[in-house]
C-alpha cells in the first residue's frame, strides 16, 4: 500500500529566505498567503477598492525588490502590514477630501435572505464606514489592525511607529468614538 504524499507548507521565514535567493514560486506563495489580508486592510482604511488594489500591488512589488532589506525573515507579515499601513496613511494624508462611498460597491455579509434584515445590515455597515472615516488616519489604522486583523499592541506599534501605550490610547479613543456613533444600532 503506497504512502500518501504529505504536503508541508513552508513558514514565512523559509519562504522569505527562498525569495531572497530569487525563488519566484516562494514569492507567489507569500503573495497568495497575504494578499487578501493586505487588501482588506487597505480597502477599509481607504474606502476605495481600486486604490486598495493599487496599494497592495505596490506593496508586493516593493517587497520583491527590497526583500534583502528585511532583517528577520520571520517578520515578513509584520513588514507587509507596516508597508501597507504606511502607504495608506500617506495616501489619506494627501487627500483633499474624504472619498465618497458607493453603496452599490460596498460588500455586505448577508446571513439571511429577509430584505428587512439585509437593509439593517447594510445600514449598520454604512454607518460603520462613515464612523471609520471620522477617525484620524492613525486611529483608523490602529483600530483596524487590532479589531479586524487581530494584531497585538506591540505589532501595531511596530507597524505604525508608535509605542504600545500610544497604540492603546489610539484604539481606546477610536473605540469610544465608534461606540458613540454606533449607539443607535445597538
Amino acid at each position: 500500500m503506497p504512502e500518501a504524499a504529505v504536503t508541508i507548507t513552508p513558514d514565512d521565514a523559509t519562504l522569505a529566505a527562498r525569495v531572497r535567493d530569487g525563488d519566484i514560486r516562494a514569492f507567489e506563495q507569500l503573495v497568495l498567503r497575504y494578499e487578501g489580508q493586505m487588501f482588506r486592510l487597505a480597502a477599509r482604511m481607504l474606502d476605495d477598492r481600486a486604490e486598495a488594489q493599487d496599494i497592495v500591488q505596490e506593496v508586493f512589488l516593493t517587497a520583491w525588490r527590497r526583500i534583502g532589506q528585511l532583517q528577520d525573515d520571520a517578520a515578513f507579515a509584520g513588514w507587509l502590514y507596516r508597508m501597507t499601513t504606511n502607504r495608506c496613511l500617506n495616501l489619506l494624508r494627501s487627500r483633499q477630501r474624504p472619498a465618497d462611498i458607493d453603496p452599490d460597491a460596498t460588500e455586505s455579509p448577508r446571513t439571511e435572505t429577509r430584505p428587512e434584515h439585509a437593509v439593517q445590515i447594510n445600514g449598520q455597515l454604512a454607518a460603520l464606514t462613515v464612523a471609520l472615516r471620522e477617525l484620524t488616519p492613525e486611529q483608523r489604522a490602529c483600530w483596524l489592525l487590532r479589531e479586524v486583523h487581530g494584531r497585538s499592541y506591540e505589532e501595531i506599534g511596530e507597524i505604525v511607529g508608535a509605542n504600545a501605550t500610544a497604540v492603546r490610547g489610539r484604539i481606546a479613543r477610536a473605540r469610544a468614538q465608534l461606540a458613540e456613533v454606533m449607539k443607535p444600532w445597538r
Side-chain angles (χ1 to χ4, degrees):
M1 189 173 200
E3 290 184 30
V6 177
T7 303
I8 298 173
T9 305
D11 62 5
D12 290 355
T14 303
L15 291 172
R18 289 182 188 167
V19 171
R20 186 176 285 105
D21 293 335
D23 186 339
I24 294 173
R25 293 214 184 274
F27 188 69
E28 288 173 355
Q29 288 182 332
L30 287 169
V31 170
L32 291 173
R33 187 175 291 175
Y34 289 108
E35 72 181 336
Q37 294 172 41
M38 296 308 117
F39 175 75
R40 285 188 294 279
L41 173 62
R44 284 288 182 193
M45 284 188 69
L46 301 173
D47 291 333
D48 186 307
R49 295 176 65 82
E51 284 181 333
Q53 288 172 337
D54 290 345
I55 292 284
V56 171
Q57 286 179 352
E58 290 173 21
V59 164
F60 281 107
L61 183 59
T62 300
W64 173 255
R65 289 179 178 160
R66 296 186 181 166
I67 191 75
Q69 296 174 4
L70 182 61
Q71 299 296 320
D72 178 8
D73 291 340
F76 184 81
W79 189 50
L80 286 179
Y81 273 108
R82 185 171 33 262
M83 284 193 290
T84 303
T85 301
N86 287 338
R87 287 181 188 262
C88 289
L89 288 172
N90 290 340
L91 183 60
L92 288 169
R93 289 178 187 129
S94 71
R95 284 183 179 170
Q96 296 296 331
R97 328 176 339 216
D100 291 329
I101 299 295
D102 179 4
D104 296 328
T106 305
E107 293 181 27
S108 65
R110 297 200 176 163
T111 57
E112 298 183 31
T113 57
R114 296 188 330 235
E116 65 275 4
H117 186 264
V119 168
Q120 180 185 12
I121 295 295
N122 285 337
Q124 289 171 339
L125 286 173
L128 178 61
T129 299
V130 169
L132 283 172
R133 196 181 309 140
E134 298 301 316
L135 298 175
T136 67
E138 292 78 12
Q139 288 174 339
R140 186 182 321 166
C142 290
W143 185 86
L144 286 167
L145 287 166
R146 178 70 180 170
E147 302 298 336
V148 177
H149 294 271
R151 308 315 278 187
S152 71
Y153 293 113
E154 292 75 21
E155 287 176 303
I156 297 168
E158 289 176 20
I159 291 168
V160 300
N163 63 40
T165 303
V167 168
R168 287 178 193 274
R170 289 176 185 172
I171 292 171
R173 287 187 294 279
R175 285 176 178 158
Q177 191 171 337
L178 291 173
E180 186 63 31
V181 172
M182 298 303 291
K183 203 181 281 185
W185 294 100
R186 288 185 182 173

